[in-house]
Amino acid sequence: MKTEKIYSAGIDIGTSTTKMVVSSFLLKNVAGVTHVPRIEIIEKKVLHQSPIIKTPFINKDIIDMKKIEEFIFQQYQLAKIAPTDISTGAIIITGESATKENAREVVHTIADGAGHFLVATAGPDLEGIIAAKGSGTLQQSKNSSKVIANIDIGGGTANIAVMQFGEVIGTCTLHVGGRLIEFNNGRIQSISPPLMELMEKWSNPLSVGDAAEDARVTQCMEEMVGTLALILKGQCTDDKHPLLLGHLPNWHKPVDAIVFSGGVASCIYENECTQRQYDDIGERLAKMLVQHEQLQSFLWLQPKETARATVTGAGTQTTEISGATIQVDAEVLPLKNVPVFNCHMDATAIDFKSTVKTAVERADDLFAIQDYRAPFALYFSELPYLSFQGVHALCEAILQHLATRCSKDIPIIIVIQSDYAKIIGQTIQSINPTVPIICIDQIKVETGDYIDIGEVLPSGVVPVVVKTLAFHSK
């Protein structure tokens, strides 16, 4: 096969800034002539990087969707790419922007209108992982036994992803960012709710109108940086800490090295803080991070990207390519926001019927909205070796529990980690030719992930984006 070129877009709507990248991917069959085809992305090239603009708001609770849409279409014109040329990519809403009233509407509307197949994502854990990919840290960790934490600090949050040997082993998110205190004419103009909560235990908390140089501003920043250091050292056990967004750290190995990305990081590694022209604590926070004694005990590594880490990750690192030996009903593609349920197969058990039945019932409980059965994907991560009879028995079990609820709106969606998709898909089709079936392989997912599956590319593969849709609240 000759190479095939597809286009991807990444859009990041953050607390402080919004930015976009347009990239091209080259796909090629990397298997030998006599082998099963294996299509891989062999090259990724960023074609256009937008300027970094201030995220537009109508008021403090509502994002200005019209201005963001205008900005996106302007970038497509500059990149000389039409939105309909976009085969994959992601729009991610990050930091405090994900808490705004119309956050969900913004990402879904823009995902539907700003590209042929663009994916809506949100959620602090995913932000941290995408930033770690975009900053180059995940790639860097592939060749190292060191446990590396990538800390992406923007306007509203610090998203931490910890990795080793190229695998993410944990995440955590903190309310630590450059815009948690904003100034105007030398006075405090706004204080973020998590900081207000943090100061409740102070005898004399800061207020709007206090001087920008007030010593208590420094005290707030010391609390932020101190909390970050405790988290990285595994010494924070307070799951109700005002600066914690979501869960406590879930990695179980001590961190050896740290990398900073995000807008605040551009002030850490660059002599001049060129990216940030905001009246807030961003630059002072960066200086404090560099000088903090406990943070100095880690090995400091350099990122490839700082302020553009998340958007680069969203545009170049979120897409996976399915195996080439797949079975899909092209009419039902593309599919968006399909939740995944992992159907654990015990290698010693051959009772496929009860395993599939239990998985379908549990998935229905999880994903059904009132009495409406939503589509979901069954994921088979560890299929044992299957004989012809084994394949047939598994397909019969899948049909028994999924065929009755099947329609063009709710196809049977199967995701397999190994190379069984074609044989399973074709067997299901031969037993029941009327059911719409999407059966893809060489994709790794977990229960709780969502997948978006794009249209079939000329090479016979489909682009798949694995993501989360957890819109966090304040």
Side-chain angles (χ1 to χ4, degrees):
M1 154 192 171
K2 297 190 186 79
T3 55
E4 176 183 352
K5 186 183 279 190
I6 63 171
Y7 295 101
S8 168
I11 300 160
D12 174 20
I13 303 169
T15 308
S16 307
T17 59
T18 291
K19 41 217 164 310
M20 178 172 172
V21 297
V22 178
S23 314
S24 65
F25 298 168
L26 273 188
L27 309 185
K28 190 177 183 183
N29 181 7
V30 295
V33 180
T34 57
H35 293 80
V36 173
R38 188 170 191 93
I39 313 296
E40 287 185 7
I41 300 169
I42 57 161
E43 182 188 277
K44 297 175 181 180
K45 197 181 279 180
V46 174
L47 304 176
H48 174 72
Q49 284 191 331
S50 77
I52 296 176
I53 64 160
K54 204 166 178 175
T55 299
F57 289 96
I58 292 169
N59 59 42
K60 68 182 178 58
D61 293 316
I62 296 177
I63 300 160
D64 192 331
M65 187 153 62
K66 191 166 178 294
K67 283 205 173 135
I68 287 176
E69 284 183 315
E70 283 168 7
F71 167 73
I72 290 165
F73 286 106
Q74 186 183 22
Q75 299 318 306
Y76 277 135
Q77 284 176 327
L78 292 169
K80 299 184 170 60
I81 296 276
T84 49
D85 294 334
I86 300 296
S87 296
T88 188
I91 167 170
I92 184 163
I93 193 155
T94 58
E96 301 272 299
S97 288
T99 70
K100 302 306 177 193
E101 280 177 25
N102 62 337
R104 189 181 297 266
E105 181 195 352
V106 166
V107 289
H108 286 300
T109 303
I110 291 172
D112 290 342
H116 184 52
F117 179 69
L118 206 59
V119 166
T121 63
D125 288 350
L126 185 74
E127 289 161 35
I129 294 166
I130 288 179
K133 288 177 175 178
S135 68
T137 307
L138 194 68
Q139 186 63 33
Q140 207 175 343
S141 84
K142 281 183 179 171
N143 308 317
S144 171
S145 62
K146 286 187 170 55
V147 176
I148 306 171
N150 191 90
I151 305 119
D152 189 74
I153 308 187
T157 54
N159 300 91
I160 306 163
V162 176
M163 59 220 77
Q164 185 185 34
F165 299 124
E167 290 280 329
V168 175
I169 60 171
T171 56
C172 185
T173 300
L174 297 174
H175 291 287
V176 170
R179 294 199 79 183
L180 296 189
I181 301 177
E182 294 178 275
F183 310 119
N184 187 20
N185 293 327
R187 297 267 155 205
I188 293 174
Q189 180 180 289
S190 71
I191 303 169
S192 169
L195 284 191
M196 297 294 282
E197 192 185 333
L198 183 78
M199 291 188 291
E200 280 175 9
K201 62 180 189 286
W202 295 12
S203 57
N204 185 18
L206 272 174
S207 303
V208 169
D210 287 343
E213 296 306 317
D214 192 301
R216 289 167 298 171
V217 173
T218 305
Q219 197 181 335
C220 267
M221 292 193 295
E222 281 168 353
E223 288 253 20
M224 284 192 233
V225 178
T227 303
L228 174 63
L230 286 176
I231 290 279
L232 291 170
K233 287 196 168 284
Q235 293 167 354
C236 181
T237 55
D238 177 8
D239 62 357
K240 298 283 186 289
H241 195 293
L243 295 185
L244 190 67
L245 199 173
H247 58 80
L248 279 165
N250 53 9
W251 57 88
H252 304 292
K253 295 180 180 180
V255 171
D256 302 309
I258 57 176
V259 182
F260 287 94
S261 61
V264 169
S266 60
C267 306
I268 291 174
Y269 299 102
E270 294 155 28
N271 294 332
E272 287 190 36
C273 196
T274 49
Q275 305 285 14
R276 306 190 91 260
Q277 287 119 16
Y278 302 103
D279 211 353
D280 60 27
I281 57 171
E283 278 121 280
R284 287 159 69 178
L285 189 62
K287 206 168 281 182
M288 194 177 281
L289 288 162
V290 172
Q291 292 165 354
H292 195 270
E293 196 178 328
Q294 276 190 293
L295 291 178
Q296 284 306 319
S297 66
F298 296 104
L299 172 67
W300 284 53
L301 301 173
Q302 290 267 117
K304 278 206 170 87
E305 288 282 352
T306 54
R308 295 180 190 270
T310 305
V311 74
T312 303
T316 65
Q317 303 292 330
T318 53
T319 298
E320 296 180 46
I321 295 297
S322 72
T325 52
I326 60 173
Q327 184 73 16
V328 296
D329 187 334
E331 283 179 34
V332 299
L333 292 176
L335 283 169
K336 291 191 175 185
N337 304 329
V338 177
V340 173
F341 191 85
N342 193 344
C343 183
H344 288 285
M345 281 287 174
D346 184 344
T348 57
I350 40 171
D351 185 7
F352 294 135
K353 281 188 178 169
S354 67
T355 309
V356 172
K357 179 176 186 276
T358 305
V360 169
E361 284 170 356
R362 289 182 60 199
D364 264 337
D365 287 345
L366 264 181
F367 306 126
I369 301 153
Q370 285 146 356
D371 294 333
Y372 169 69
R373 278 177 160 175
F376 58 80
L378 271 191
Y379 175 54
F380 295 99
S381 54
E382 293 167 13
L383 276 179
Y385 168 75
L386 293 176
S387 63
F388 174 76
Q389 285 87 355
V391 168
H392 210 270
L394 177 60
C395 293
E396 289 275 17
I398 290 167
L399 279 166
Q400 184 180 341
H401 299 292
L402 288 174
T404 51
R405 51 176 301 147
C406 210
S407 68
K408 280 281 181 252
D409 294 331
I410 306 185
I412 292 177
I413 307 162
I414 307 291
V415 182
I416 302 166
Q417 200 176 338
S418 49
D419 283 336
Y420 275 112
K422 188 123 189 137
I423 182 72
I424 287 174
Q426 286 184 336
T427 305
I428 289 173
Q429 210 99 73
S430 69
I431 299 169
N432 185 339
T434 63
V435 297
I437 171 101
I438 302 293
C439 199
I440 60 173
D441 58 24
Q442 293 177 26
I443 299 290
K444 193 175 177 211
V445 282
E446 289 297 331
T447 298
D449 287 339
Y450 284 74
I451 54 171
D452 288 30
I453 307 168
E455 290 176 353
V456 183
L457 299 172
S459 49
V461 296
V462 289
V464 179
V465 179
V466 181
K467 70 216 186 138
T468 176
L469 279 171
F471 287 83
H472 46 275
S473 55
K474 287 179 183 165

